[in-house]
Amino acid sequence: MRGPVRGRWELFGGLVRAAGRGDAVSRHELLSVRGHNVAWLVPLLMLTCIAVADVATDVFQIIAWTVLVPGVAAAICSVWSTAVFAMLSVVVYLLADMVWKHREETGLAGLMLVVLGGVVAVVAAGFRVGGERRMLHMRDIADTTRRTVLRPLPVGFGGMDHAAVYLSADSEARVGGDFYDIQPGPHGTRVLVGDVQGKGLGAVETAAALLGTFREAGYHEPDLATVAERLEVRMVRHRAHTAALGRSDGDRFATAVLIGFSPGLPDVVEAVVFGHEPPMAVGPRGVRVLPVVGGLPLGMAELAPTGRSGTPPVHRLHLAEDETLLLVTDGVTEARNPAGVFYRPADDIAPAVAADARSAAPTRLVSLVRDGTLRHCRGRVADDTTVFAVRRTTGGREPRADG
């Protein structure tokens, strides 16, 4: 095969290898105008430019570059559209070779290259479209799993203003070991935020087990310490079950923060910290870390010294009505910049709240921390990241029971 033909074929092969790669959703959004897919315009414009250039110039056999058109179509268009452009490329090539005749014939070799390129492009488009369908199906499954584990929380749920941001370290999985929930009940509203050690489906399964226990115990148990004990027992039982199955994650543990908002105590919260970062209180007067002595993570109570309870103590803490509780996982606190410096959320929160007290509202607060985290680590999230903010609803309403 001659040099120019071989070069065109190698370039076409690169386009074919690119077909099926990348995020199908992002590509479709990029190539859509008002909800209508206009990806076909790209190969059409390319084919038109090649034909016009071949007629209007004396450059060597520009028309042979039509082999690239079905390759581009294979990367962004449907199978049928790719087939149409493959046929159009052959037609345009024949017109240039047999009708326009403004230069010597390009020969059978060029025609065979265009025909073969069209066939390969259609096959590549078929593989790409099939892969995209499978990927979108798996994404739907992941989204369903995420909604099951991290259920949507209604506005004002449990008498709470709340907001959450969740960033999965695995963009394809879209769900990981971080978890959070609010559970209103007759004894007040309880909040749980945590992080399961490790990644993958095992971490998701563990998070789901802990959230299931929290939703039941948080509603029925009058004492927050009992809810904490139930979570510890559930973690131990779950570990025993996975170990009995012979799985390698039988030693998994989880860090968590359990918060209780009690009726009749508008300026007090109860907190239990299982080896997690303590919550921060954010309000017009600034940012402060709540003075909580953390205990062992969930599933590690057996390591507590003899004579001491493995469950961390319940702390009763002051929280002003205009303060928001901010809880984050280690995806925030362990985010590093290129120099290896850890991210400190308070460095961004304090000046923002000082400039505008409305920045302490849950929605603004989680956006502020999310943007600061991504900016600090240059968008490279190394671990699942959760930012959760909650405070009592304005107007002095107390946490209401689950209806």
Side-chain angles (χ1 to χ4, degrees):
M1 190 178 295
R2 290 177 298 176
V5 173
R6 182 170 62 249
R8 290 193 293 271
W9 181 256
E10 290 175 352
L11 181 57
F12 170 77
L15 290 171
V16 170
R17 287 192 298 273
R21 293 205 299 252
D23 191 324
V25 176
S26 299
R27 183 166 59 250
H28 289 168
E29 292 176 350
L30 182 64
L31 296 173
S32 296
V33 176
R34 296 182 179 179
H36 299 285
N37 192 298
V38 294
W40 55 273
L41 286 175
V42 177
L44 179 61
L45 180 63
M46 185 176 180
L47 182 60
T48 302
C49 292
I50 290 173
V52 171
D54 185 75
V55 173
T57 68
D58 292 329
V59 181
F60 68 97
Q61 296 184 7
I62 291 179
I63 198 64
W65 286 85
T66 54
V67 69
L68 299 178
V69 174
V72 172
I76 60 178
C77 296
S78 67
V79 178
W80 284 109
S81 296
T82 303
V84 169
F85 280 108
M87 291 186 290
L88 284 176
S89 297
V90 173
V91 170
V92 171
Y93 187 91
L94 290 174
L95 285 174
D97 201 32
M98 301 173 63
V99 178
W100 299 332
K101 292 184 177 181
H102 61 287
R103 63 167 61 90
E104 65 179 26
E105 294 185 359
T106 54
L108 183 61
L111 176 62
M112 293 303 298
L113 176 64
V114 176
V115 172
L116 182 59
V119 172
V120 173
V122 172
V123 174
F127 278 106
R128 193 207 88 230
V129 171
E132 286 182 356
R133 288 174 178 170
R134 289 190 295 272
M135 183 199 72
L136 293 174
H137 178 63
M138 293 303 297
R139 175 164 290 190
D140 289 340
I141 294 175
D143 286 339
T144 301
T145 302
R146 179 175 178 175
R147 288 193 299 270
T148 301
V149 177
L150 303 177
R151 61 179 180 177
L153 300 174
V155 176
F157 192 47
M160 296 287 126
D161 287 332
H162 58 81
V165 169
Y166 177 84
L167 303 175
S168 175
D170 187 344
S171 60
E172 295 299 327
R174 300 172 70 83
V175 65
D178 285 8
F179 56 91
Y180 59 85
D181 202 4
I182 297 175
Q183 182 56 61
H187 310 290
T189 298
R190 275 71 186 265
V191 175
L192 180 67
V193 176
D195 179 11
V196 176
Q197 173 262 335
K199 296 181 176 66
L201 293 178
V204 177
E205 182 184 0
T206 303
L210 291 172
L211 286 173
T213 297
F214 166 73
R215 288 161 187 165
E216 289 302 309
Y219 180 86
H220 292 287
E221 298 295 343
D223 189 0
L224 194 67
T226 305
V227 180
E229 292 172 359
R230 292 276 298 275
L231 289 171
E232 173 64 29
V233 171
R234 185 69 183 93
M235 187 69 198
V236 173
R237 290 174 54 205
H238 181 75
R239 287 175 52 182
H241 178 258
T242 55
L245 293 174
R247 286 166 38 180
S248 59
D249 59 348
D251 58 348
R252 196 182 295 276
F253 61 88
T255 64
V257 178
L258 176 63
I259 302 292
F261 294 87
S262 301
L265 297 174
D267 59 348
V268 172
V269 295
E270 293 180 321
V272 181
V273 177
F274 296 92
H276 199 86
E277 289 288 330
M280 290 185 287
V282 181
R285 291 165 296 281
V287 184
R288 60 189 179 93
V289 178
L290 297 184
V292 181
V293 178
L296 294 171
L298 289 165
M300 302 182 69
E302 61 185 14
L303 300 180
T306 304
R308 294 185 182 181
S309 172
T311 305
V314 176
H315 297 267
R316 178 167 287 193
L317 306 165
H318 170 73
L319 184 71
E321 292 187 9
D322 57 358
E323 286 186 312
T324 299
L325 273 184
L326 175 65
L327 303 104
V328 300
T329 59
D330 57 8
V332 174
T333 57
E334 295 183 5
R336 301 189 187 193
N337 63 12
V341 178
F342 290 106
Y343 177 58
R344 298 178 60 184
D347 292 344
D348 286 335
I349 298 172
V353 174
D356 186 355
R358 292 176 297 178
S359 297
T363 302
R364 291 194 178 190
L365 188 56
V366 297
S367 297
L368 179 66
V369 177
R370 175 202 61 197
D371 296 343
T373 302
L374 293 176
R375 184 170 56 250
H376 186 80
C377 67
R378 305 298 192 269
R380 299 177 180 178
V381 179
D383 198 358
D384 295 332
T385 302
T386 295
V387 185
F388 189 87
V390 61
R391 71 180 179 188
R392 289 182 173 89
T393 53
T394 57
R397 287 180 291 171
E398 295 180 357
R400 56 181 180 270
D402 188 357

